[in-house]
Amino acid sequence: MNKPLALLAVLLLAGCASERVVLLPSADGRPSGVVVRDAGGEQVLDQPYAATVRRLGSHRGYQSDAAEVEARYGQTLRAMPQRPVSYTLYFEPGGDKLTAASAAEFANIKRDIAARAAAEIMVIGHTDRVGAAAANDALSAKRAQAVREQLAGEGVPVEKMEVAGRGEREPLVPTADEVDEPRNRRVEISIR
């Protein structure tokens, strides 16, 4: 192959190269967006399946769909790890007894853990600001441990779970000291 033809082949191959960005729908249904920016300008993708392809230095926006994403990227998407999920369980005042609504949430937590071959579970306990800080540290750890024991009783392997107590240091709802705030009496469970 002579040099001009080799150079033409490289230029033709470079012209075929493209970059594609597709905004997938968010897992929780909330709106999302991304800005694709380079030396040639920018393109805002702010609707599910909005897409852009860059070829020869310029962007061309278009609307993709679930079928195209499956055809192009389905195998790759199925190979990716599942997105983490989080649950928040709430407690009755002063102890480690779950509220009725939170106790009912355990079936969903078990389902999400079972759906993951190698689940890692973080259980973090919290308290409101009623009582001494040291007592709240102990209570938050007791709450996290109680949830861990309940999950273990449901068949979740203990070695897959980590527990921690944060006391009153990370309130969901900031309050003054000695304020009874039910949303701060919680355990957060992260499953990944």
Side-chain angles (χ1 to χ4, degrees):
M1 187 181 241
N2 65 33
K3 281 190 175 186
L5 286 178
L7 181 59
L8 179 61
V10 169
L11 290 173
L12 287 174
L13 287 174
C16 293
S18 64
E19 294 174 352
R20 186 177 315 267
V21 177
V22 179
L23 181 64
L24 298 179
S26 64
D28 59 8
R30 289 190 288 179
S32 64
V34 66
V35 176
V36 179
R37 184 179 294 135
D38 65 11
E42 72 179 38
Q43 183 135 12
V44 177
L45 307 178
D46 59 3
Q47 297 296 317
Y49 299 110
T52 184
V53 63
R54 184 177 72 155
R55 187 172 289 147
L56 299 174
S58 65
H59 288 275
R60 179 184 61 84
Y62 70 100
Q63 185 64 37
S64 185
D65 57 36
E68 178 192 16
V69 168
E70 175 59 32
R72 285 183 180 272
Y73 312 109
Q75 187 174 8
T76 301
L77 291 171
R78 284 186 294 281
M80 293 179 64
Q82 290 177 292
R83 292 179 175 163
V85 293
S86 296
Y87 289 92
T88 303
L89 303 176
Y90 297 98
F91 290 81
E92 299 294 334
D96 62 356
K97 182 179 182 212
L98 289 169
T99 63
S102 289
E105 192 73 7
F106 258 87
N108 295 328
I109 295 169
K110 272 184 40 180
R111 181 199 66 233
D112 279 340
I113 292 171
R116 295 165 191 267
E120 296 175 356
I121 302 117
M122 185 70 192
V123 182
I124 303 172
H126 301 273
T127 66
D128 57 24
R129 299 209 51 212
V130 174
N136 282 335
D137 284 345
L139 179 56
S140 67
K142 183 178 177 183
R143 286 176 174 164
Q145 189 61 37
V147 169
R148 178 184 188 191
E149 289 171 9
Q150 188 169 352
L151 288 169
E154 297 284 336
V156 177
V158 174
E159 62 273 6
K160 290 186 172 193
M161 295 184 275
E162 290 184 45
V163 297
R166 299 280 198 268
E168 62 184 51
R169 287 182 291 285
E170 298 173 5
L172 188 62
V173 179
T175 67
D177 202 21
E178 297 303 320
V179 172
D180 177 4
E181 173 51 61
R183 292 171 290 177
N184 289 338
R185 295 189 305 263
R186 70 195 191 283
V187 162
E188 296 171 340
I189 301 171
S190 174
I191 306 165
R192 60 175 200 262

